[in-house]
C-alpha cells in the first residue's frame, strides 16, 4: 500500500518534471502541424509567462445578464443581478466569490448550459464565428438556437471521467463526438495528454490514477478540441494544496502557449491571484461585481511568487473586496 | 462469501470520481484470482457437508421420520438412480430458464430505455412494469398454457415474466442516474440522444444493470419450474410426478438440482459482470 502510494507520487513528479520541460519538447517537434489542425506552432512555441504572440481565444460579452430561479412554492429568487462584462480575447479571468453566490450559474450561462432570464451572451470567435445565447423566446433569437458554441470546453469540479475508458479514450471523447477520424483523434488525444504531462498514462484507466492525474486527464479532454474558450468551475477544489498548485501551473502554461480565453471560477483568493490576469470578485447571492481589477503581477509566475509582497498585496485587495461584499 | 454479494450499486460508478488511494492494490488483488476463489468456495461447501451429516444423523437417530425428511443418503440414491428422469428434466428446465432469462435481459433493457426516454412515457408505463413483479406467476401460469403453443413456450414465458422486473428496475435506475456533469459535457459537444445513450448512459448503467441481471438469473429458474408445474416438462413435472408416489427423496433431489441451476446461472452472470466492469471502481472489480 505504502509502496503504491510512493509509486503514485513519483509518477506525479515525473509528470511534473515533464511538464516543466514541455516547451522544449514542443520546440523539438518538426514545425509542421498535425493533420487537420491549423498551424499554430508559432504561438505554441511561446514560453509560458510571456504574452502569446497571436490570440486564439474568443471574446465574451455579457450584456445585462440576469438569472432568476422559481422555487417549488412559486417564489422567484434572483441568482444573478444584471451583469455586463467583457472578457477579452485570449485573457485569463478569475471569478471569485463566496459559495452559492451564483458564480457557477454565470459560468453555465456563458457555456449555454443554462439560459439567462434576461440579457444575452455573445461569443465572438477569431474564426469569425459569432454565437449568442439569449433567453428562451426572446426576439433576438435569429434562427440560431442557444448553446451552439462550437469551440468551448468546460471543466467541472471533479474530473468526471468515464470509468470504462482509458485516459486516452476519455480525452478522445470531444473529437469522437465531433466525428473526427479515428487515427487523427488518437494523435490529437495523445498530444493533449502530453501537454498535461500524462503521455505515459495514456493506456491507464481512471481508477488506476490519483486525483491529480485524473484532473490532468480532464484538462487534456477540455483542450483536445482546440477550444477558443475554456470555462473552469472550481476544478481543483477537491485536491490537496500541492497538487492544486502543480495543476495551476500547468493550466497557466497551457493558456500561455495556446492563447485561449479562460474564465476560471474559484473560491480561493490565492488561486485566483496566482492564475489570473484579471480578477472579478462577486458579492454573496444575488451576485453583483464588487471588484474588477487587473492583477499586477509579472506574467512569468514561478511557484514561489506566492511568497512575494506584490502577491500579498493582490490577495489583500481581493480579500477586502470579498469582506466589503459580505457586509 | 463475496461471490454472492450484489455490491455494484448504481452509484458505484459515481464514486470513481473521488480520490481513491488503494485502487492499485485492488487491481493486483484481481489479477491473482485463483486463491480467493478457493477461499470463497470452501466455506459454503463445508457448511453443506455439515448440514448433510446433521440431517443424516437426525433421521438415522429416529428424531425425524424419513417420510417427513428424506435422509441425504436417500437423496443421493435418487440422484444416481439408473434411468432416472431427473437429468432430462434438468436439461429441459435449463433450456427454458436460459431462454427466458435471455428474453427478459433484452426486453427488460429495452423497456428501461423506453421508460427513460421521457417522463410521460415513464408515468404511463411504469405501473405496468411493476405488474410483472406483483403478478403471482402461479396464478397466471394456466393462462400462459392457453396463450402459448408449446410446453417450451409456456415455461419460457413463465421464466421471462418472473425475471424481467429486476432487469427493468435496475437498468432504469442506472439510466436515470447518469452523472449530470457528463450529460452536460455531451450536450456541450452536441451529442445526439442516440449517441448519448450508447456512449454514455448505457455504459454508465452497466453496474446497476448487472445487479438486476444477477437477481433475474435466479428468478428465471424459479419461474421456469413454476411454469412446469402447470405446463409440464422439466424438473417441475418431475416433482409433480414424484409427490403422489411419496418419493420425497426424489422431490428433494429435484429441488437440489433446481437450486444448483439457479446458483450456477447467478455465478455466470457474476463472472460476466466482473469481466465487464473490470475497469470500473476497485470495489466493483474485487467484490462482485
Amino acid at each position: 500500500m505504502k509502496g503504491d502510494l510512493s509509486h503514485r507520487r513519483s509518477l506525479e513528479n515525473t509528470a511534473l518534471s515533464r511538464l516543466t520541460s514541455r516547451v522544449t519538447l514542443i520546440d523539438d517537434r518538426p514545425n509542421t502541424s498535425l493533420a487537420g489542425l491549423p498551424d499554430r506552432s508559432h504561438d505554441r512555441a511561446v514560453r509560458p509567462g510571456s504574452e502569446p504572440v497571436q490570440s486564439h481565444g474568443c471574446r465574451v460579452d455579457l450584456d445585462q445578464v440576469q438569472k432568476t430561479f422559481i422555487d417549488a412554492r412559486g417564489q422567484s429568487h434572483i441568482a444573478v443581478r444584471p451583469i455586463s462584462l467583457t472578457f477579452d480575447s485570449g485573457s485569463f479571468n478569475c471569478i471569485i466569490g463566496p459559495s452559492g453566490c451564483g458564480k457557477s450559474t454565470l459560468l453555465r450561462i456563458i457555456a449555454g448550459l443554462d439560459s439567462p432570464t434576461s440579457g444575452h451572451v455573445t461569443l465572438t470567435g477569431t474564426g469569425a464565428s459569432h454565437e449568442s445565447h439569449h433567453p428562451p423566446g426572446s426576439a433576438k433569437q435569429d434562427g440560431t438556437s442557444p448553446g451552439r458554441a462550437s469551440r468551448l470546453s468546460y471543466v467541472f469540479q471533479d474530473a468526471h471521467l468515464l470509468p470504462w475508458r482509458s485516459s486516452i479514450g476519455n480525452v478522445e471523447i470531444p473529437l469522437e463526438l465531433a466525428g473526427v477520424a479515428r487515427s487523427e483523434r488518437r494523435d490529437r488525444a495523445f498530444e493533449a495528454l502530453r501537454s498535461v504531462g500524462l503521455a505515459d498514462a495514456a493506456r491507464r484507466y481512471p481508477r488506476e490514477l490519483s486525483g491529480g492525474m485524473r484532473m490532468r486527464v480532464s484538462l487534456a479532454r477540455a483542450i483536445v478540441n482546440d477550444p477558443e474558450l475554456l470555462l473552469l468551475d472550481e476544478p481543483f477544489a477537491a485536491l490537496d494544496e500541492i497538487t492544486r498548485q502543480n495543476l495551476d501551473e500547468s493550466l497557466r502554461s497551457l493558456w500561455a502557449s495556446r492563447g485561449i480565453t479562460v474564465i476560471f471560477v474559484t473560491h480561493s483568493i490565492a488561486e485566483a491571484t496566482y492564475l489570473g490576469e484579471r480578477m472579478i470578485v462577486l458579492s454573496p447571492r444575488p451576485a453583483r461585481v464588487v471588484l474588477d481589477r487587473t492583477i499586477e503581477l509579472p506574467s512569468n509566475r514561478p511557484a514561489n511568487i506566492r511568497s512575494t509582497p506584490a502577491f500579498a498585496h493582490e490577495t489583500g485587495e481581493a480579500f477586502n473586496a470579498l469582506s466589503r461584499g459580505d457586509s | 462469501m463475496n461471490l454472492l454479494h450484489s455490491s455494484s450499486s448504481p452509484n458505484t460508478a459515481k464514486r470513481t470520481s473521488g480520490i481513491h488511494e488503494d485502487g492499485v492494490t485492488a487491481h493486483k488483488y484481481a489479477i491473482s484470482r485463483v486463491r480467493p476463489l478457493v477461499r470463497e468456495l470452501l466455506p459454503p461447501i463445508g457448511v453443506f457437508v455439515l448440514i448433510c451429516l446433521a440431517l443424516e444423523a437426525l433421521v438415522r437417530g429416529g428424531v425425524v421420520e424419513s417420510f417427513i425428511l428424506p435422509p441425504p443418503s436417500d437423496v443421493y440414491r435418487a440422484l444416481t438412480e439408473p434411468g432416472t428422469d431427473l437429468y432430462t428434466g434438468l436439461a429441459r428446465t435449463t433450456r427454458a430458464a436460459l431462454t427466458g432469462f435471455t428474453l427478459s435481459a433484452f426486453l427488460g433493457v429495452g423497456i428501461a430505455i423506453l421508460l427513460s426516454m421521457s417522463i410521460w412515457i415513464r408515468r404511463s408505463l411504469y405501473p405496468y412494469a411493476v405488474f410483472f413483479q406483483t403478478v403471482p406467476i402461479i396464478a397466471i401460469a394456466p393462462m400462459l398454457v392457453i396463450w402459448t403453443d408449446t410446453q417450451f413456450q409456456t415455461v419460457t414465458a413463465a421464466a421471462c415474466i418472473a425475471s424481467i422486473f429486476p432487469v427493468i428496475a435496475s437498468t432504469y435506475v442506472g439510466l436515470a442516474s447518469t452523472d449530470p456533469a457528463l450529460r452536460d459535457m455531451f450536450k456541450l459537444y452536441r451529442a445526439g440522444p442516440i449517441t448519448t445513450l450508447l456512449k454514455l448512459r448505457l455504459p454508465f448503467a452497466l453496474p446497476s444493470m448487472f445487479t438486476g441481471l444477477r437477481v433475474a438469473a435466479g428468478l428465471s429458474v424459479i419461474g421456469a419450474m413454476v411454469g412446469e408445474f402447470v405446463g409440464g416438462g422439466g424438473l417441475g413435472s418431475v416433482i409433480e410426478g414424484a409427490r403422489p408416489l411419496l418419493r420425497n427423496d426424489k422431490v428433494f433431489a429435484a429441488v437440489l438440482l433446481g437450486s444448483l441451476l439457479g446458483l450456477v446461472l447467478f455465478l455466470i452472470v457474476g463472472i460476466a459482470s466482473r469481466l465487464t466492469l473490470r475497469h470500473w471502481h476497485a470495489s466493483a472489480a474485487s467484490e462482485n
Side-chain angles (χ1 to χ4, degrees):
Chain A
M1 184 65 215
K2 203 163 190 175
D4 289 330
L5 260 178
S6 60
H7 170 64
R8 177 94 45 83
R9 197 143 297 152
S10 75
L11 258 171
E12 186 92 45
N13 287 343
T14 44
L16 245 182
S17 62
R18 206 168 301 116
L19 241 175
T20 39
S21 63
R22 190 187 59 83
V23 178
T24 16
L25 248 173
I26 287 168
D27 280 342
D28 288 345
R29 280 195 314 148
N31 203 20
T32 51
S33 63
L34 288 165
L37 268 175
D39 190 349
R40 277 196 317 283
S41 41
H42 54 283
D43 65 39
R44 280 198 186 177
V46 165
R47 301 200 176 275
S50 60
E51 285 302 312
V53 177
Q54 186 191 330
S55 168
H56 171 54
C58 70
R59 199 182 76 207
V60 183
D61 289 295
L62 307 187
D63 181 17
Q64 294 293 312
V65 168
Q66 182 181 10
K67 182 74 182 176
T68 313
F69 285 111
I70 295 168
D71 69 10
R73 281 173 297 172
Q75 282 184 315
S76 65
H77 298 272
I78 301 171
V80 181
R81 272 189 248 193
I83 281 185
S84 296
L85 280 171
T86 295
F87 301 100
D88 289 333
S89 168
S91 59
F92 199 128
N93 311 275
C94 287
I95 299 178
I96 186 165
S99 294
C101 76
K103 50 193 194 299
S104 294
T105 311
L106 197 62
L107 204 64
R108 290 179 63 85
I109 291 174
I110 296 172
L113 288 170
D114 279 345
S115 40
T117 313
S118 65
H120 60 269
V121 179
T122 313
L123 310 182
T124 315
T126 47
S129 63
H130 184 95
E131 289 145 356
S132 318
H133 322 317
H134 301 293
S138 107
K140 294 209 167 185
Q141 208 150 347
D142 47 348
T144 57
S145 38
R148 296 302 75 92
S150 62
R151 289 231 164 148
L152 72 80
S153 280
Y154 199 101
V155 180
F156 301 91
Q157 281 185 22
D158 286 310
H160 292 288
L161 304 177
L162 305 179
W164 59 90
R165 283 180 176 239
S166 62
S167 305
I168 195 158
N170 268 288
V171 177
E172 274 181 51
I173 292 169
L175 303 175
E176 203 175 311
L177 295 178
V180 174
R182 176 179 290 270
S183 62
E184 188 194 333
R185 64 179 196 240
R186 279 272 126 152
D187 290 346
R188 287 173 65 179
F190 190 76
E191 190 56 32
L193 274 175
R194 197 165 74 165
S195 70
V196 296
L198 276 187
D200 283 353
R203 301 273 157 208
R204 292 170 70 186
Y205 284 82
R207 72 180 177 92
E208 302 168 304
L209 304 175
S210 70
M213 290 163 92
R214 277 184 218 156
M215 208 60 231
R216 283 180 191 277
V217 176
S218 193
L219 266 183
R221 181 177 65 186
I223 56 163
V224 74
N225 60 337
D226 281 299
E228 297 177 352
L229 174 61
L230 184 58
L231 304 168
L232 303 101
D233 185 9
E234 298 182 29
F236 313 139
L239 302 173
D240 63 88
E241 190 61 28
I242 300 295
T243 311
R244 180 204 274 229
Q245 287 179 11
N246 293 340
L247 276 154
D248 285 347
E249 214 175 314
S250 313
L251 179 61
R252 248 193 90 83
S253 64
L254 278 177
W255 165 75
S257 60
R258 291 179 175 242
I260 54 181
T261 311
V262 177
I263 303 178
F264 189 99
V265 161
T266 178
H267 53 237
S268 159
I269 295 177
E271 187 173 40
T273 311
Y274 175 78
L275 280 173
E277 304 289 292
R278 176 186 180 194
M279 176 170 342
I280 293 156
V281 178
L282 299 181
S283 68
R285 199 166 175 169
R288 84 193 136 80
V289 177
V290 291
L291 179 77
D292 184 350
R293 141 187 189 97
T294 307
I295 294 170
E296 280 151 12
L297 289 175
S299 39
N300 185 19
R301 298 182 189 171
N304 62 11
I305 200 172
R306 291 181 178 88
S307 57
T308 60
F311 193 87
H313 173 72
E314 290 295 332
T315 55
E317 288 290 326
F319 180 78
N320 289 337
L322 263 179
S323 350
R324 267 203 310 276
D326 236 347
S327 56
Chain B
M1 177 94 187
N2 273 342
L3 269 173
L4 297 184
H5 263 301
S6 48
S7 64
S8 44
S9 60
N11 52 10
T12 309
K14 248 184 199 162
R15 266 183 271 139
T16 52
S17 50
I19 297 169
H20 193 79
E21 284 303 343
D22 49 37
V24 177
T25 328
H27 182 61
K28 281 179 190 157
Y29 198 82
I31 290 171
S32 60
R33 202 173 281 157
V34 185
R35 263 180 47 213
L37 196 70
V38 172
R39 222 166 31 207
E40 279 169 22
L41 284 181
L42 270 181
I45 292 174
V47 169
F48 180 77
V49 170
L50 275 179
I51 289 176
C52 286
L53 288 176
L55 290 180
E56 193 74 37
L58 280 176
V59 180
R60 295 258 170 114
V63 184
V64 181
E65 295 291 344
S66 70
F67 66 86
I68 291 175
L69 189 75
S73 54
D74 281 6
V75 176
Y76 177 76
R77 222 166 292 134
L79 280 169
T80 51
E81 208 171 35
T84 179
D85 54 354
L86 274 169
Y87 296 100
T88 50
L90 176 64
R92 296 180 76 168
T93 306
T94 307
R95 197 164 65 106
L98 273 179
T99 315
F101 172 68
T102 312
L103 269 178
S104 69
F106 280 99
L107 281 176
V109 171
I111 292 172
I113 291 172
L114 196 70
L115 290 177
S116 75
M117 288 199 314
S118 95
I119 184 82
W120 284 107
I121 297 180
R122 193 193 78 84
R123 278 187 191 144
S124 332
L125 295 183
Y126 199 66
Y128 298 98
V130 178
F131 163 82
F132 286 113
Q133 187 197 24
T134 52
V135 64
I137 186 78
I138 190 81
I140 60 156
M143 297 311 295
L144 291 178
V145 176
I146 298 167
W147 293 334
T148 52
D149 294 334
T150 64
Q151 209 177 54
F152 174 73
Q153 282 178 12
T154 312
V155 177
T156 303
C160 177
I161 291 174
S163 62
I164 199 167
F165 183 75
V167 184
I168 299 176
S170 64
T171 309
Y172 176 74
V173 167
L175 287 171
S177 62
T178 314
D179 186 341
L182 284 171
R183 218 185 276 194
D184 280 346
M185 188 185 87
F186 271 61
K187 210 183 339 177
L188 273 180
Y189 296 131
R190 296 185 206 163
I194 305 283
T195 313
T196 309
L197 180 73
L198 293 179
K199 292 197 192 263
L200 176 67
R201 301 181 60 211
L202 267 182
F204 214 93
L206 277 176
S208 173
M209 192 191 297
F210 270 112
T211 309
L213 284 175
R214 265 180 298 182
V215 178
L219 286 177
S220 71
V221 176
I222 296 175
M225 286 176 71
V226 170
E228 287 163 352
F229 279 142
V230 181
L235 288 175
S237 62
V238 170
I239 293 173
E240 281 289 281
R243 226 165 35 185
L245 305 173
L246 296 178
R247 287 286 310 275
N248 282 353
D249 53 337
K250 201 171 171 187
V251 171
F252 264 68
V255 169
L256 188 70
L257 288 179
S259 354
L260 276 178
L261 173 60
L263 189 68
V264 167
L265 288 187
F266 185 94
L267 290 180
I268 289 173
V269 179
I271 290 166
S273 155
R274 171 144 63 174
L275 289 177
T276 312
L277 303 181
R278 67 191 183 283
H279 293 309
W280 256 254
H281 193 256
S283 72
S286 61
E287 284 171 38
N288 271 352

